[in-house]
Amino acid sequence: DQLTVTVEGFSGSAGTVNHASLTVVQATTWQEWLIPFSSLEAMGVKMNSVKRIAVGVGDPATPRAGTGTIYIDDIQVGHPVTAP
């Protein structure tokens, strides 16, 4: 199934981004996923006013029961830190 991230702003606007790979949830190693702010801002989400972030597997519009485990860590919002 598709790995998704939905970001909701305080204004009520929300945007959902799908991972490019349909098999990323089957990966056995750590995978980094960088989501540009511009992709969510194009959906009307103001990234300086985020209320909620949801990470899911499958279609959020038609949820269904399933089994499995995924590990989500190091969620960061902002610009990457660069070494001096």
Side-chain angles (χ1 to χ4, degrees):
D1 280 330
Q2 187 73 57
L3 181 63
T4 65
V5 171
T6 300
V7 178
E8 179 185 346
F10 278 97
S11 66
S13 61
T16 298
V17 179
N18 297 324
H19 195 282
S21 171
L22 290 174
T23 60
V24 71
V25 296
Q26 299 169 342
T28 59
T29 59
W30 185 85
Q31 304 289 312
E32 182 178 41
W33 181 17
L34 299 175
I35 302 170
F37 280 8
S38 59
S39 62
L40 292 156
E41 289 169 341
M43 296 177 217
V45 178
K46 294 184 180 181
M47 293 304 294
N48 63 349
S49 182
V50 172
K51 178 179 181 180
R52 184 176 312 157
I53 299 173
V55 179
V57 177
D59 183 355
T62 56
R64 60 185 171 87
T67 60
T69 302
I70 61 170
Y71 296 96
I72 307 294
D73 65 3
D74 293 336
I75 294 175
Q76 299 177 17
V77 177
H79 301 283
V81 176
T82 57

